[in-house]
Amino acid sequence: MSEFPAPLRETLSRIAEQDLALDAEGLSRRTGISVQHIQTLLDGGELTDEDVDTRIRERLQFLCRQRLAESGRTYRDREAVAALTKDIASAIGVSSVWARQLVSGEKTPSMKHGHELTRYFGVPDGFLTETPAAALNRTLQSHLQNESGAGGSPADPLAELKSRFGLVGISRRGEPLSRDEAARFAGLIAEVLEQNMEADS
């Protein structure tokens, strides 16, 4: 068992002081950690230490599922998985065979490729390797910052979208978006995600 980390304890204390509501399922979608483990950490419990390679492979598969879900696809859609695999291979400079093994969870990426994968998926450095407690603490810190800035400058439409649907990241190419463009872009994504949620219900 790993000792309950002080940074997470302090963050949870700040959240309790501000009486902020937490959604274990939403936190799970943003961290790649199971709802059960999220709840254990929120309750002050400890988790059994896990193998780092296993953690990396599971987090990578989580990111792949998230990326497929953005277009209403799943791992069962071979064409979509093949397209994602090809895109990843091109993005991080590996063969299609190696990328396929990464996507399927058969192989663990090197440190270099792990960094390139976090850039590709638009998630923070260390997302693939950080412990569940560290991942939860990072996400809760972001939650606190969003809440403390609620009365300040206009909210980021893409940040609101990620918070609303529990997205880890939103990856796009091209020039930076203006606030109006970001709002329209977020609206289109929200519409697609809402339709997918209705279809699944």
Short mmCIF file of all heavy atoms in Angstrom, two decimals, residues 20 57 61 113 143:
data_model
loop_
_atom_site.label_atom_id
_atom_site.label_comp_id
_atom_site.label_asym_id
_atom_site.label_seq_id
_atom_site.Cartn_x
_atom_site.Cartn_y
_atom_site.Cartn_z
N LEU A 20 -16.95 22.50 -2.21
CA LEU A 20 -17.11 22.27 -3.65
C LEU A 20 -17.57 20.84 -3.90
O LEU A 20 -17.09 19.90 -3.27
CB LEU A 20 -15.78 22.51 -4.38
CG LEU A 20 -15.18 23.92 -4.25
CD1 LEU A 20 -13.86 23.99 -4.99
CD2 LEU A 20 -16.15 24.96 -4.80
N ARG A 57 0.30 1.63 -20.09
CA ARG A 57 -0.51 1.00 -21.14
C ARG A 57 -2.00 1.28 -20.93
O ARG A 57 -2.73 1.56 -21.89
CB ARG A 57 -0.25 -0.50 -21.18
CG ARG A 57 1.15 -0.88 -21.68
CD ARG A 57 1.24 -2.36 -22.02
NE ARG A 57 1.02 -3.21 -20.86
CZ ARG A 57 1.98 -3.63 -20.05
NH1 ARG A 57 3.24 -3.26 -20.27
NH2 ARG A 57 1.72 -4.41 -19.01
N GLN A 61 -4.49 3.41 -23.46
CA GLN A 61 -5.74 2.86 -24.00
C GLN A 61 -6.93 3.74 -23.62
O GLN A 61 -7.86 3.91 -24.41
CB GLN A 61 -5.94 1.43 -23.49
CG GLN A 61 -5.03 0.42 -24.17
CD GLN A 61 -5.46 -1.00 -23.90
OE1 GLN A 61 -5.40 -1.47 -22.77
NE2 GLN A 61 -5.91 -1.68 -24.93
N HIS A 113 8.67 8.43 -26.85
CA HIS A 113 7.37 8.27 -27.51
C HIS A 113 6.22 8.60 -26.56
O HIS A 113 5.17 9.10 -26.98
CB HIS A 113 7.22 6.85 -28.05
CG HIS A 113 8.12 6.57 -29.21
ND1 HIS A 113 8.67 5.33 -29.45
CD2 HIS A 113 8.57 7.38 -30.20
CE1 HIS A 113 9.42 5.39 -30.54
NE2 HIS A 113 9.38 6.62 -31.00
N HIS A 143 -9.52 22.17 -10.93
CA HIS A 143 -10.89 22.44 -10.52
C HIS A 143 -10.95 23.63 -9.57
O HIS A 143 -11.80 24.52 -9.70
CB HIS A 143 -11.48 21.19 -9.86
CG HIS A 143 -12.92 21.30 -9.46
ND1 HIS A 143 -13.94 21.53 -10.36
CD2 HIS A 143 -13.52 21.23 -8.23
CE1 HIS A 143 -15.09 21.59 -9.73
NE2 HIS A 143 -14.86 21.41 -8.43
#
